[in-house]
Amino acid sequence: GESVGLHLPTLSVQEGDNSIINCAYSNSASDYFIWYKQESGKGPQFIIDIRSNMDKRQGQRVTVLLNKTVKHLSLQIAATQPGDSAVYFCAENTNDYKLSFGAGTTVTVRA
Amino acid sequence: DAGVTQSPTHLIKTRGQQVTLRCSPISGHKSVSWYQQVLGQGPQFIFQYYEKEERGRGNFPDRFSARQFPNYSSELNVNALLLGDSALYLCASSLEQKQFFGPGTRLTVL
C-alpha cells in the first residue's frame, strides 16, 4: 500500500485566506519530501522540498513543515489565489530514486 | 531553459497492441524516471534510469520496459496493452533527489 497519504481529499478556501494541506507518511527512514501541484491535464509541478534534518522551509508564499515525531508533513499557502486551485501531492523519497505519492488533495479557491 | 518534454501528447491504442512513449530530460540531467498516473490517484513509480542503466523498478509486469540513450533521453515501451494500462504516463528528470516532471502522455486503451 501507499506509504504517503493526505488527510483530506478536498479543501475549499476563500480567496485571500491561508491554506493548509496535510500529509501523513509511514516510513520513518524517509529523508526527503517534495510537494507538487498538478493542474488539470498537466504534469506535477515542483513547489518546495524539505530534508529530514529540517523542520521548516519557506518559499514564495509557501511554507513546508515537517514533524518527524508524528510523521506529518504540511504545506501552507499564504494569501491563496484562484491560480492555486489544483491537486496537491506530497511525495516521499524512500531511497535515492523512487518517489512515493499519496492520492492528493484537491484545493478549490472560492472567489 | 526547456523543461522535460514528452511525446506524443495523446495516444489511442487497442488491446494487445504495443506502444512507445518518449521523454527528453532537462539539459544536464542524467536521470530519467517513469511514472504511471491513473485518474484520481497519485503517480506510481515504474522505472528509473541513470547513465543508461536501470537503477530501480516498481511493481509493474514485464510488459513494461524502458531504455535510456546516450543523450539521456528515454523510451518507455508497453507490450500487449490491457484496458487497465489507460493512464497518464509521466516522465521526470532529476538532479540528485529533486525530480521535475514533464506534461505526460495520455494513453487510452480501447
Side-chain angles (χ1 to χ4, degrees):
Chain A
E2 292 294 322
S3 64
V4 178
L6 298 177
H7 291 318
L8 294 174
T10 62
L11 176 67
S12 180
V13 60
Q14 186 70 38
E15 182 179 356
D17 288 351
N18 296 335
S19 303
I20 299 177
I21 306 167
N22 295 304
C23 176
Y25 65 95
S26 58
N27 190 343
S28 57
S30 294
D31 63 355
Y32 181 64
F33 304 87
I34 305 177
W35 280 99
Y36 288 94
K37 170 187 179 184
Q38 188 173 26
E39 297 174 278
S40 182
K42 297 183 178 180
Q45 176 189 350
F46 179 96
I47 301 174
I48 192 168
D49 59 354
I50 189 167
R51 297 196 177 278
S52 60
N53 61 353
M54 304 173 68
D55 53 19
K56 180 179 180 179
R57 190 156 190 239
Q58 289 185 291
Q60 186 177 11
R61 280 201 309 118
V62 295
T63 300
V64 55
L65 300 177
L66 175 63
N67 185 330
K68 294 180 288 293
T69 302
V70 294
K71 291 185 285 190
H72 181 269
L73 197 67
S74 69
L75 178 70
Q76 301 177 2
I77 305 174
T80 310
Q81 302 169 359
D84 294 326
S85 292
V87 180
Y88 289 81
F89 293 97
C90 63
E92 169 186 17
N93 189 222
T94 55
N95 50 41
D96 282 343
Y97 54 83
K98 175 183 175 180
L99 286 178
S100 294
F101 287 79
T105 292
T106 300
V107 173
T108 303
V109 181
R110 305 189 308 273
Chain B
D1 286 340
V4 179
T5 59
Q6 292 186 243
S7 63
T9 305
H10 297 87
L11 204 52
I12 298 175
K13 292 285 188 178
T14 57
R15 282 178 295 175
Q17 285 189 310
Q18 175 265 340
V19 68
T20 298
L21 311 180
R22 296 175 177 82
C23 171
S24 291
I26 294 170
S27 178
H29 288 191
K30 299 180 179 180
S31 179
V32 169
S33 302
W34 287 94
Y35 291 81
Q36 181 196 66
Q37 187 177 25
V38 175
L39 195 64
Q41 298 182 17
Q44 296 288 317
F45 174 77
I46 308 175
F47 286 111
Q48 188 182 82
Y49 277 76
Y50 177 75
E51 289 279 16
K52 302 181 290 295
E53 297 291 326
E54 182 183 303
R55 196 174 182 180
R57 182 188 182 110
N59 188 24
F60 281 81
D62 292 343
R63 299 185 296 109
F64 289 76
S65 63
R67 55 179 176 169
Q68 187 177 30
F69 299 99
N71 66 353
Y72 303 110
S73 67
S74 178
E75 288 182 350
L76 174 69
N77 296 282
V78 187
N79 295 321
L81 285 167
L82 304 174
L83 296 179
D85 295 331
S86 294
L88 180 67
Y89 287 86
L90 295 161
C91 172
S93 83
S94 55
L95 195 61
E96 299 177 346
Q97 288 177 290
K98 195 175 292 187
Q99 296 192 18
F100 298 92
F101 285 85
T105 293
R106 172 70 62 188
L107 172 65
T108 301
V109 182
L110 303 176

